[in-house]
Amino acid sequence: MERRIPIAERRNATFTDRGQFKYARRLVVKLGSAVITREDEHGLALGRLASIVEQVAECHVGGRECIMVTSGAVAFGKQKLAQELLMSLSMRETLSPKDHTRTETVTLLEPRAAAAVGQSGLMSLYDAMFAQYGVKIAQVLVTKSDFYNEETRRNLISTLSELISLNIVPIINTNDAVTPPPQTDEDFRKGKEGKKIIALKDNDSLAAMLAAEVEADLLILMSDVDGIYTCPPSQEGAKLIHTFTPEMLDIVTFGKKSKVGTGGMDSKVRAATWALDRGVSVVICNGMQEKAIKTIMSGRRLGTFFTDTATAGTAPVEVLAENARIGSRILQSLQPEERASCIRTLADLLLSKQSEILAANAKDIAEATKAGTATPLLNRLSLSPAKLKSLSAGLHQIAEASLTNVGRLIRRTRIADGLELSQITVPIGVLLVIFESRPDCLPQVAALALSSANGLLLKGGKEAGHSNKALMGLVTEALTTVGASNAISLVSTREEISDLLSMEKHIDLIIPRGSSELVRSIQEQSQHIPVLGHAEGICHVYVDNDFDSEKALRIIRDSKCDYPAACNAMETLLLHEDHLNNGFFVEVCNMLRKENVILYSGPNLCSKLTFGPPPAKSLRSEYGALECAIEVVRNIQEAIDHIAKYGSGHTDVIVTENRERAVVFQRDVDSACVFHNVSSRFADGYRFGLGAEVGISTARIHARGPVGVEGLLTTKWVLTGSGQAASDFVEGGPCVYLHQSLPIDSK
């Protein structure tokens, strides 16, 4: 291999993450033979080719400069020549047992002749397909000498530049009718002027050469495999490498060449690294996957992305996830006191490094304000000395609880004499927590992961980028004290959330924290990884007719106005219809208006008032602001029915002095949190004494309500015996089952 070109000497700077692909202006797309030919090798896969043409045309019409490097002429020509040859045979020869079969006929065809016949047909097909989108194309046939000769190479690049300037898509192929692809093992050659040139063994090297010469921003090599694997995909233990750096060449074992094309994975990687060295970003992908080009250009994780360690900035997310799993094992092996000490260190750092945290947060606030961010979101984004003090206190609670979390004995059973079964708590594994705006989530969730010995990936919103980076530095500093610095990582690359949700081999549980739109989107997209969370926080406060007015006003004000952006804030106020006549309705409306709350009427309330608040568009609205709906009901049962119909199962409150009605309400309202005579804002992990919450779940499986460390643990069964076999317990055997429960505190 030749000397690598220093980044500073390159003509272009390569992209450092997939999210930058949207800025790619000049694009080279190479279609391998296996992509555009049918599996039986008789002709082209027209449907697949049409889809690829459509995507290239979309890029072109969208303002990108596109060049295609195509295979397929030989395969197309073989099909046409085979048909011609069969038709020319005499009937006698066709019927003879010694006649060539269709398969044998194909083997007689000379590749150069097939290329000559197929090239015109292939270009006619491309012309017709692109014409549907109003895109003009031009055919450019090249041979290796066109690159080794300085004059012809200069003419070729000039021609391509002229075609691009005329808004024409050049379609390039090697002129296999004149000279087939060389089969040498040389990696590089020198032109007459000493310029290093990649050997044109196949269309991969051709595409790499062209991409470098025309200074393309991105090269997409489309093959029949998903990308680069650590070893041939058919071998056990093969792992797809989503992000490839040249230093990884030593860990990859290449398989055989394609049965259709001339290049294998070895040639693709060498071509890709050669192009990368010359400032061209590269993606190797499976061209048979639907909408592959469109998916890549949108920044989604498809195929193998070639980038440089020196410019990548962060480790691939798969590496972070593997580190998190290893880190989880390290945390699990620690003594409880060591995990608690680590959390206390983090709690203390929140106070001792307060000025650094607030300075970083101020940058986020300034940028968000400049971008016109709404006030409720600014409130979520903002940190303060009071918030940091509260966070630190919550982390100390978590530290104390962590002494008894992992390895706690839940159940002991004597299965038989000398055979004892135990059930103990263990961490879930690797968590992915996706959160918006609120940087205070980061130390809370990190502490809960530490307490439960889980590995953790954190994906924060870009609006809190400075704050999250500062807080993550403190988390890493605390983890270093116990030798587990990689157990928790901040995913700071621009990986699409949908790509993270597909990492079921790396991530065991996803916890979204943010808007209902975020949570709902994650729940819909995650098909293989369980999601813990709630999509909506439509919380109700029902004021019964047997009530204390002062108490009710205090609870309503706090539920709605204390923090209206929170998911546990009241969104609908339910009033017994008696309150329309006893003066409380007017009193509560005046109080809410003084707090600048915008009011809306439910349909029952509208029908009873001549003048009143405007109708609510929906009684299933989560306003997340100083807005709420008011509706009237005739009794407690109607209130329960209303909540069942419109609620989200988050938190619902009854205000009443009637104990029996409170019992009925708390029994029959099927929500994660059901309160009597207290604000809905108490639905919080810290206020529950959990130290902090990783989120709130309205699901009915695993964890429900504010989820603290208990929701991040699962269990395993430990069986200890003395040589027993299941066959010992058959009827008449030497052993019998006892299934005797044992005290948990017994040793």
Side-chain angles (χ1 to χ4, degrees):
M1 294 284 285
E2 63 173 318
R3 175 184 69 88
R4 295 208 64 208
I5 297 176
I7 295 172
E9 298 178 15
R10 295 178 181 174
R11 291 178 299 193
N12 302 328
T14 56
F15 295 129
T16 58
D17 65 71
R18 296 172 186 262
Q20 297 172 338
F21 290 168
K22 60 185 176 184
Y23 302 116
R25 176 167 174 77
R26 183 164 291 181
L27 178 66
V28 176
V29 179
K30 177 262 175 179
L31 310 182
S33 298
V35 175
I36 62 175
T37 58
R38 289 167 40 175
E39 282 72 11
D40 59 8
E41 300 179 36
H42 292 294
L44 305 181
L46 295 179
R48 189 183 306 138
L49 186 58
S51 175
I52 293 172
V53 167
E54 178 184 12
Q55 294 171 75
V56 173
E58 282 184 14
C59 290
H60 178 80
V61 173
R64 290 191 171 93
E65 298 171 347
C66 300
I67 299 173
M68 286 180 60
V69 178
T70 183
S71 303
V74 173
F76 198 20
K78 280 185 177 182
Q79 182 187 31
K80 295 179 69 174
L81 286 178
Q83 293 170 348
E84 188 66 29
L85 187 58
L86 285 170
M87 291 177 64
S88 67
L89 295 176
S90 67
M91 182 64 70
R92 181 177 58 79
E93 290 173 325
T94 302
L95 296 175
S96 169
K98 296 181 181 180
D99 288 339
H100 301 296
T101 65
R102 178 179 293 268
T103 302
E104 291 169 335
T105 302
V106 173
T107 64
L108 298 176
L109 301 178
E110 218 288 327
R112 285 193 292 270
V117 172
Q119 193 65 44
S120 60
L122 180 63
M123 291 309 300
S124 296
L125 187 60
Y126 275 128
D127 191 50
M129 286 182 170
F130 274 105
Q132 296 181 69
Y133 307 99
V135 177
K136 291 183 173 57
I137 64 168
Q139 178 185 22
V140 181
L141 289 175
V142 298
T143 64
K144 65 177 181 178
S145 60
D146 294 325
F147 290 92
Y148 299 152
N149 181 284
E150 184 63 26
E151 181 180 358
T152 57
R153 182 171 69 249
R154 188 167 56 247
N155 291 339
L156 171 62
I157 302 308
S158 176
T159 299
L160 293 176
S161 299
E162 182 68 16
L163 290 172
I164 291 172
S165 69
L166 294 172
N167 205 32
I168 294 172
V169 175
I171 298 183
I172 302 163
N173 198 358
T174 50
N175 191 355
D176 294 340
V178 177
T179 170
Q183 297 299 315
T184 68
D185 290 329
E186 295 172 293
D187 294 316
F188 297 94
R189 290 188 175 185
K190 287 185 179 181
K192 290 184 178 179
E193 299 178 10
K195 185 174 182 178
K196 297 241 178 178
I197 298 172
I198 189 171
L200 296 182
K201 302 184 195 179
D202 46 54
N203 277 352
D204 296 314
S205 52
L206 170 62
M209 170 64 76
L210 283 169
E213 290 288 348
V214 302
E215 299 185 32
D217 300 305
L218 179 63
L219 167 62
I220 299 178
L221 298 176
M222 307 187 83
S223 179
D224 57 349
V225 295
D226 293 335
I228 305 303
Y229 286 79
T230 51
C231 58
S234 58
Q235 291 186 13
E236 186 177 353
K239 291 185 178 181
L240 179 65
I241 302 172
H242 292 283
T243 304
F244 190 99
T245 61
E247 290 74 15
M248 292 183 180
L249 281 169
D250 294 337
I251 68 170
V252 177
T253 303
F254 298 108
K256 298 178 181 179
K257 292 200 290 188
S258 166
K259 68 175 183 178
V260 179
T262 56
M265 273 299 122
D266 188 5
S267 68
K268 287 176 175 56
V269 171
R270 291 181 181 275
T273 52
W274 191 90
L276 180 67
D277 241 6
R278 283 147 186 84
V280 182
S281 295
V282 185
V283 173
I284 296 178
C285 71
N286 191 335
M288 299 181 184
Q289 183 163 336
E290 187 178 359
K291 301 293 184 184
I293 298 174
K294 192 172 183 178
T295 301
I296 289 169
M297 299 308 295
S298 70
R300 294 276 305 278
R301 191 180 61 166
L302 182 74
T304 299
F305 168 43
F306 282 70
T307 186
D308 228 305
T309 314
T311 57
T314 59
V317 70
E318 298 90 347
V319 175
L320 297 180
E322 287 294 338
N323 288 343
R325 194 168 298 282
I326 295 169
S328 172
R329 297 192 186 105
I330 294 173
L331 292 175
Q332 196 171 358
S333 68
L334 297 175
Q335 293 298 315
E337 292 79 9
E338 293 176 291
R339 289 194 296 271
S341 174
C342 183
I343 298 170
R344 291 192 186 100
T345 299
L346 177 57
D348 294 339
L349 286 169
L350 289 174
L351 300 181
S352 63
K353 300 290 183 72
Q354 175 179 294
S355 59
E356 298 174 22
I357 299 169
L358 295 179
N361 185 243
K363 293 180 182 179
D364 290 326
I365 294 292
E367 292 175 5
T369 302
K370 186 177 180 180
T373 303
T375 301
L377 292 179
L378 283 176
N379 292 337
R380 290 188 177 193
L381 179 59
S382 176
L383 293 175
S384 65
K387 274 190 178 181
L388 293 177
K389 185 176 180 180
S390 177
L391 272 174
S392 180
L395 264 57
H396 278 292
Q397 285 186 0
I398 296 172
E400 188 64 29
S402 68
L403 297 173
T404 56
N405 285 331
V406 180
R408 185 176 73 254
L409 186 61
I410 294 177
R411 180 183 307 176
R412 292 177 65 230
T413 304
R414 180 175 288 120
I415 302 295
D417 288 335
L419 191 61
E420 185 174 310
L421 177 69
S422 299
Q423 185 183 20
I424 61 172
T425 56
V426 293
I428 288 175
V430 175
L431 314 174
L432 168 63
V433 177
I434 303 169
F435 59 100
E436 293 178 320
S437 300
R438 294 179 55 180
D440 50 329
C441 286
L442 194 151
Q444 285 182 336
V445 175
L448 289 170
L450 275 166
S451 178
S452 55
N454 281 289
L456 175 64
L457 296 180
L458 291 155
K459 174 67 172 171
K462 62 181 180 180
E463 66 279 356
H466 298 292
S467 305
N468 290 337
K469 184 177 180 180
L471 291 167
M472 188 62 221
L474 306 186
V475 172
T476 303
E477 185 176 340
L479 285 168
T480 303
T481 64
V482 292
S485 58
N486 291 330
I488 300 175
S489 295
L490 183 64
V491 181
S492 56
T493 63
R494 295 178 185 173
E495 297 279 355
E496 290 286 334
I497 287 178
S498 53
D499 293 329
L500 294 172
L501 301 186
S502 66
M503 296 176 59
E504 63 269 13
K505 293 182 180 179
H506 298 284
I507 297 167
D508 300 300
L509 179 66
I510 298 171
I511 305 172
R513 296 192 63 171
S515 66
S516 58
E517 290 79 12
L518 170 73
V519 179
R520 190 179 297 108
S521 173
I522 290 172
Q523 288 174 334
E524 290 172 355
Q525 292 181 66
S526 181
Q527 299 180 358
H528 303 292
I529 308 175
V531 177
L532 187 152
H534 68 283
E536 295 174 309
I538 304 174
C539 304
H540 298 78
V541 174
Y542 166 61
V543 183
D544 187 40
N545 59 347
D546 185 354
F547 79 119
D548 181 299
S549 175
E550 183 178 347
K551 189 183 296 182
L553 289 172
R554 181 176 173 80
I555 290 170
I556 293 167
R557 179 188 286 110
D558 191 74
S559 295
K560 180 70 260 182
C561 307
D562 176 63
Y563 192 2
C567 60
N568 58 13
M570 180 190 76
E571 304 295 3
T572 299
L573 172 61
L574 295 177
L575 299 176
H576 192 285
E577 63 181 7
D578 287 356
H579 296 312
L580 294 178
N581 302 316
N582 63 16
F584 182 71
F585 172 72
V586 174
E587 193 175 4
V588 74
C589 287
N590 288 338
M591 181 273 292
L592 289 171
R593 283 173 177 146
K594 279 184 180 180
E595 298 286 345
N596 298 315
V597 179
I598 300 172
L599 303 178
Y600 305 101
S601 297
N604 292 341
L605 180 59
C606 280
S607 68
K608 296 179 182 297
L609 296 177
T610 304
F611 302 101
K617 292 182 180 179
S618 171
L619 290 175
R620 198 176 277 112
S621 295
E622 182 179 11
Y623 299 102
L626 286 173
E627 301 175 67
C628 77
I630 302 179
E631 181 61 305
V632 295
V633 292
R634 290 180 295 181
N635 50 48
I636 187 174
Q637 189 57 50
E638 279 196 6
I640 293 170
D641 292 343
H642 178 101
I643 293 170
K645 184 175 182 180
Y646 297 108
S648 61
H650 192 294
T651 300
D652 296 289
V653 178
I654 183 172
V655 180
T656 183
E657 297 304 306
N658 187 309
R659 179 59 187 166
E660 291 181 1
R661 291 178 191 172
V663 170
V664 170
F665 186 90
Q666 292 183 302
R667 181 193 66 199
D668 293 350
V669 170
D670 187 20
S671 295
C673 300
V674 188
F675 299 164
H676 173 213
N677 284 349
V678 294
S679 167
S680 62
R681 293 278 291 122
F682 278 96
D684 175 82
Y686 175 68
R687 296 184 177 102
F688 277 14
L690 305 179
E693 64 183 37
V694 72
I696 290 184
S697 173
T698 54
R700 288 166 173 77
I701 300 175
H702 185 49
R704 195 177 188 203
V707 180
V709 70
E710 290 288 338
L712 304 181
L713 296 169
T714 184
T715 64
K716 69 178 178 183
W717 297 93
V718 178
L719 184 61
T720 302
S722 54
Q724 292 90 342
S727 57
D728 294 336
F729 292 83
V730 298
E731 188 174 352
C735 298
V736 294
Y737 288 113
L738 299 176
H739 293 147
Q740 178 185 358
S741 295
L742 299 174
I744 291 178
D745 58 356
S746 175
K747 295 182 179 181

